[in-house]
Amino acid sequence: FPMWVDFDGSHLLASSPVGSRKGQAIRHRPRVAVSIVSTKTPWRWLSVSGRVVDIAPDEELAFIDRMSQKYVGRPYERRSPREVFTIEVDRVSHSGTWGA
C-alpha cells in the first residue's frame, strides 16, 4: 500500500488508522520493507527494511497533518484516530546516488 513516510534522523515513521489491517499485520509481524521512489527520476529508488519498534497514538493527528502538509499542502482530511509506527532500519539498498 502506498503511504507517506518520514525520517527522524535514525528511524522511519509511518502512520495508519487505528484498527487498520496494516496495523494488525504489523503487530503480528513487525518486520517491514519500504520502497521510496524519487519524484524527479523514477529510476532512482531506496529500499529500506527494518522492524517496527514502537506504535504510538498520533496525538491530535500531528504526524499525519505534517505529512499531509508536506505532500499535498493542507491538513489531513480524514479526522479519525491514527497511530504512528517507528521503524528501526536494518538494511538500505539503492539505485545509485539519490540526490543526482
Side-chain angles (χ1 to χ4, degrees):
F1 294 99
M3 60 192 305
W4 295 331
V5 297
D6 200 9
F7 184 64
D8 69 3
S10 57
H11 298 94
L12 284 180
L13 305 168
S15 174
S16 186
V18 170
S20 70
R21 286 186 182 176
K22 188 178 303 168
Q24 292 171 11
I26 287 172
R27 284 174 171 81
H28 178 71
R29 186 172 179 260
R31 301 265 334 138
V32 296
V34 178
S35 295
I36 303 165
V37 178
S38 168
T39 58
K40 295 179 182 177
T41 308
W43 298 276
R44 300 234 184 252
W45 52 266
L46 293 172
S47 179
V48 180
S49 65
R51 184 173 55 88
V52 174
V53 294
D54 187 51
I55 302 172
D58 187 354
E59 299 292 340
E60 298 181 19
L61 302 181
F63 175 81
I64 197 64
D65 278 341
R66 188 172 75 246
M67 294 295 93
S68 187
Q69 285 286 32
K70 176 180 178 178
Y71 289 104
V72 297
R74 63 181 179 274
Y76 195 67
E77 293 179 4
R78 293 184 225 148
R79 308 308 291 177
S80 59
R82 296 183 68 86
E83 52 195 6
V84 178
F85 307 107
T86 301
I87 303 165
E88 185 174 88
V89 176
D90 293 336
R91 182 186 60 81
V92 177
S93 58
H94 55 86
S95 61
T97 306
W98 180 257

